[in-house]
Amino acid sequence: MRGQSSAAEVEERETVRALKKNRIETAESMAARQRDISVSEFFAKNRHLLGFDNPRKALLTAIKEAVDNSLDACEEAAILPDIFVSIEELGNDRFRIAVEDNGPGIVKRQIPNIFGKLLYGSKFHCLKMSRGQQGIGISAAGMYGMLTTGKPVEIISRTDPGKPAHHFLLQIDTKKNKPEIISDKEVEWEVPHGTRVAIELEGKHTRGRQSVDEYVRQTVIANPHIRVRYQEPSGELITYERSSDQRPGHTSEIKPHPHGVELGVLQTMLRDTKARNLAGFLQSEFSRVTQRVAEEICANAAIAPSLSPSRIRHQEVEKLMQGIAKTKIMNPPTNCVAPIGEEQLQRGLESTIPAAFYTCTTRPPAVYRGNPFIIEAALAYGGEGQEADEPARVLRFANRVPLLYQQGGCCAYQSVVQTNWRQYGLNQPRGTLPVGPLTIIVHMASVWVPFTSESKEAIAGYPEIEEQIVLALQECGRRLKLFLSKRRREAEAQRKLDYLEMYLPHIGIGLRELLNLPEKEEKQLTDTLKELLERHRG
Ligand SMILES: Nc1ncnc2c1ncn2[C@@H]1O[C@H](COP(=O)(O)OP(=O)(O)OP(=O)(O)O)[C@@H](O)[C@H]1O
Ligand SMILES: [Mg+2]
């Protein structure tokens, strides 16, 4: 009967009312509030994960994301990069940053997604050495700007001198993780091809070790082939001309190596593959798997090579993992990683850090979790600006990008501390950095750099990576030791020569008196001795 409730219904309603009053949840009340979380909403709340935790860091991160993209794009298009970075102070902790490149440009239809959607990019799905890897960088910078100032991101891009330049004003709809186009028009632009991104954001401009100035300077060290013009908020323009015309070596994309694959990933790969049988799947989806290796993996896993990948069940995936682990497989190809190179790195250092001694070393390629990588290290010793009684400075780079934050949590820094620098003639208080007028450089180049978080600030401590860093540092340390002992020997010889020279007039007088020499001969004698000493000084 309508309007009349049973005793049970009344009781239920009362319980719900009591629960609500006491704010106690039920499965139903919770269900009403459970829904999808958009990736942009997540990162808007957790902006520290992307490097936007405070205004000072945010200013740097936004510039870094744009510059990384510009350099990646130029490299992919085989263009020598010419980058213009500017910071304009608008007052009240607001800045407008702009980064302009001479890269290949971006086709019109991709611009909204690239700048207005998180997790959209060309680099995530492949194993290739590049600065970007996640597809978050530049859209996150735009989103931060929008959240702190309400202003859209401005983009101009042109792909060809014969085509128009497109100008966009974009915002990100954080609820839907979708771009919102505020305006879209063709404009006059003097640049033949390239991209310009401008973002208004809340920031703080500082100087020092974690500043934009330092980031630009260190970018030049690891990329001697770039030309950068950097306009500071004061209006001053700093230009770094390229110290080399040699572009970084070409790198190719590779497939994952079986020894690095994780169980869940293998399961997904088996589900998604177009291969008809297991042996074919192993050969087509992984690097270094020939027919013979594929058959050996199947034999070691006790699974028929002819089995269809879609019919492989969970226990068999585990067996397949064990089969892979048991099989000896050639290391992945290493032409996919390009080091900076000893000569190039030295040029980069010479153009930015004055020093009395430089040494650089590039290790042979190695592998962690199936990913190839190369470690390089360098030292710059002595010279202006390097303090003799302070701890050495460590500059860390990953795929040619300077890492300015989270030094303590980075495997590169920890490896420097672990290295015994005392054996190379330096002071090193226990468990810390060596002391001296020294800058230590560590670079990791890889198809996938294992960062400790999405903000890409520190390298995770895989033992294989640590080992290579320590070996590279030891090599540089040995060369530094040779330099220091040679310098010590030379200083000692100089000291002796100085001493002799000081006594030369007295020796002349002594000889004249003893041998009864005329004054002219005494002078001749001391002049000859002086000349001898000078010649020795060289
Ligand atoms: N200046 C540019 N010129 C050409 N292409 C660009 C430029 N900036 C961005 N792109 C393209 O947009 C994509 C997305 O850039 P975004 O910075 O968001 O991610 P990513 O560089 O792929 O990875 P990460 O999140 O690690 O930076 C890039 O993968 C690249 O294809
Ligand atoms: Mg990027």
Side-chain angles (χ1 to χ4, degrees):
M1 266 198 296
R2 280 178 93 195
Q4 295 230 333
S5 311
S6 68
E9 282 170 338
V10 171
E11 193 180 336
E12 195 183 317
R13 269 205 301 273
E14 269 171 14
T15 316
V16 169
R17 222 174 282 137
L19 285 173
K20 271 191 186 154
K21 204 170 149 203
N22 295 322
R23 291 183 197 281
I24 296 173
E25 299 278 4
T26 62
E28 283 72 23
S29 68
M30 280 156 84
R33 285 184 292 110
Q34 286 158 349
R35 61 188 169 86
D36 274 341
I37 301 161
S38 130
V39 56
S40 336
E41 261 186 311
F42 174 79
F43 280 117
K45 277 196 179 161
N46 291 296
R47 55 175 80 151
H48 58 278
L49 292 179
L50 299 178
F52 294 96
D53 21 358
N54 60 61
R56 190 165 66 113
K57 196 163 157 191
L59 183 74
L60 170 73
T61 306
I63 290 181
K64 186 167 170 280
E65 293 301 344
V67 172
D68 281 4
N69 285 352
S70 292
L71 296 180
D72 270 348
C74 287
E75 235 153 73
E76 281 175 35
I79 296 168
L80 273 174
D82 202 334
I83 311 285
F84 178 55
V85 179
S86 79
I87 307 180
E88 193 187 334
E89 191 159 4
L90 307 171
N92 290 336
D93 295 335
R94 279 203 185 182
F95 293 85
R96 183 180 297 115
I97 62 141
V99 174
E100 184 177 313
D101 64 53
N102 61 337
I106 303 171
V107 293
K108 186 185 169 199
R109 69 169 187 284
Q110 292 291 20
I111 294 176
N113 278 338
I114 285 178
F115 296 92
K117 185 181 173 104
L118 257 62
L119 289 180
Y120 189 90
S122 54
K123 302 163 201 164
F124 184 78
H125 301 281
C126 59
L127 278 179
K128 188 172 189 308
M129 178 180 165
S130 61
R131 294 165 180 82
Q133 41 187 53
Q134 304 166 148
I136 299 183
I138 197 62
S139 32
M143 183 170 80
Y144 171 81
M146 194 190 85
L147 289 172
T148 52
T149 68
K151 294 285 169 64
V153 181
E154 184 186 6
I155 301 114
I156 308 180
S157 192
R158 191 208 298 271
T159 55
D160 188 279
K163 291 186 178 160
H166 294 282
H167 177 280
F168 274 87
L169 287 179
L170 290 176
Q171 281 198 332
I172 205 171
D173 177 343
T174 48
K175 283 236 153 52
K176 296 192 186 127
N177 186 30
K178 266 192 174 162
E180 249 175 49
I181 301 173
I182 311 278
S183 86
D184 154 18
K185 59 184 181 201
E186 286 179 11
V187 288
E188 289 293 315
W189 199 35
E190 66 287 357
V191 176
H193 54 83
T195 304
R196 180 179 194 279
V197 191
I199 300 172
E200 206 171 304
L201 46 75
E202 190 184 298
K204 192 166 177 208
H205 179 256
T206 50
R207 302 214 177 263
R209 294 197 169 182
Q210 293 174 325
S211 62
V212 178
D213 318 17
E214 183 61 20
Y215 161 74
V216 174
R217 201 171 69 97
Q218 290 193 23
T219 303
V220 171
I221 297 179
N223 301 272
H225 66 294
I226 68 174
R227 174 173 186 257
V228 191
R229 283 167 306 136
Y230 164 46
Q231 182 144 36
E232 293 197 338
S234 66
E236 195 191 334
L237 184 72
I238 304 169
T239 306
Y240 291 96
E241 294 296 346
R242 39 182 136 262
S243 52
S244 161
D245 280 340
Q246 202 180 323
R247 277 186 288 108
H250 175 75
T251 53
S252 43
E253 185 183 333
I254 58 159
K255 299 216 169 91
H257 190 271
H259 281 163
V261 74
E262 275 148 7
L263 196 127
V265 177
L266 184 60
Q267 217 161 10
T268 317
M269 288 170 80
L270 282 161
R271 207 181 49 219
D272 295 348
T273 185
K274 290 200 179 81
R276 295 226 193 98
N277 59 43
L278 183 56
F281 160 77
L282 290 168
Q283 284 173 72
S284 61
E285 305 291 330
F286 291 100
S287 66
R288 298 301 200 206
V289 180
T290 56
Q291 192 178 347
R292 193 189 55 75
V293 173
E295 280 165 8
E296 208 179 317
I297 293 175
C298 295
N300 284 337
I303 308 177
S306 55
L307 196 65
S308 161
S310 59
R311 301 187 54 190
I312 294 180
R313 288 187 308 274
H314 183 74
Q315 292 106 307
E316 281 159 338
V317 181
E318 276 191 23
K319 282 201 319 199
L320 190 57
M321 286 291 285
Q322 288 157 9
I324 289 174
K326 260 195 240 161
T327 313
K328 213 169 160 350
I329 307 169
M330 206 174 163
N331 269 341
T334 49
N335 58 357
C336 50
V337 252
I340 302 170
E342 294 173 15
E343 201 184 309
Q344 295 281 93
L345 187 53
Q346 177 141 345
R347 280 192 194 183
L349 282 173
E350 282 169 354
S351 71
T352 45
I353 303 178
F357 169 78
Y358 301 95
T359 182
C360 308
T361 189
T362 302
R363 294 282 312 153
V367 179
Y368 83 92
R369 237 183 59 200
N371 296 317
F373 71 97
I374 291 180
I375 294 294
E376 299 184 284
L379 302 179
Y381 184 90
E384 264 171 64
Q386 307 218 54
E387 299 298 327
D389 50 0
E390 285 195 4
R393 279 200 67 187
V394 182
L395 309 186
R396 300 166 291 131
F397 297 90
N399 285 355
R400 294 170 176 259
V401 179
L403 311 177
L404 300 190
Y405 279 88
Q406 285 192 32
Q407 172 167 275
C410 182
C411 150
Y413 173 81
Q414 286 151 3
S415 307
V416 172
V417 170
Q418 262 175 42
T419 306
N420 177 6
W421 293 92
R422 281 182 292 268
Q423 61 185 333
Y424 309 123
L426 294 173
N427 262 335
Q428 184 183 22
R430 195 170 284 279
T432 59
L433 291 172
V435 175
L438 178 66
T439 305
I440 303 170
I441 288 95
V442 177
H443 175 227
M444 173 176 186
S446 179
V447 291
W448 189 265
V449 179
F451 288 113
T452 56
S453 93
E454 291 83 349
S455 57
K456 303 194 284 186
E457 290 162 341
I459 303 170
Y462 283 90
E464 297 88 343
I465 301 176
E466 263 167 30
E467 185 192 340
Q468 289 298 319
I469 300 179
V470 170
L471 286 170
L473 292 171
Q474 286 173 337
E475 172 78 42
C476 290
R478 282 192 290 275
R479 295 186 202 154
L480 176 66
K481 185 181 173 184
L482 288 180
F483 166 79
L484 289 178
S485 43
K486 185 166 165 240
R487 207 171 67 162
R488 219 167 283 138
R489 277 198 311 275
E490 280 172 2
E492 181 67 6
Q494 287 297 337
R495 203 179 57 79
K496 284 183 183 157
L497 286 174
D498 288 348
Y499 202 65
L500 277 174
E501 206 166 292
M502 195 170 78
Y503 281 103
L504 221 51
H506 303 282
I507 295 171
I509 297 167
L511 285 173
R512 172 156 56 96
E513 283 174 8
L514 254 162
L515 308 175
N516 224 352
L517 293 177
E519 211 167 297
K520 198 173 145 210
E521 276 185 39
E522 179 211 325
K523 188 168 178 319
Q524 259 176 5
L525 203 73
T526 50
D527 280 353
T528 315
L529 282 173
K530 214 177 198 167
E531 210 184 296
L532 212 72
L533 293 184
E534 281 310 316
R535 220 181 305 149
H536 200 77
R537 248 188 232 282

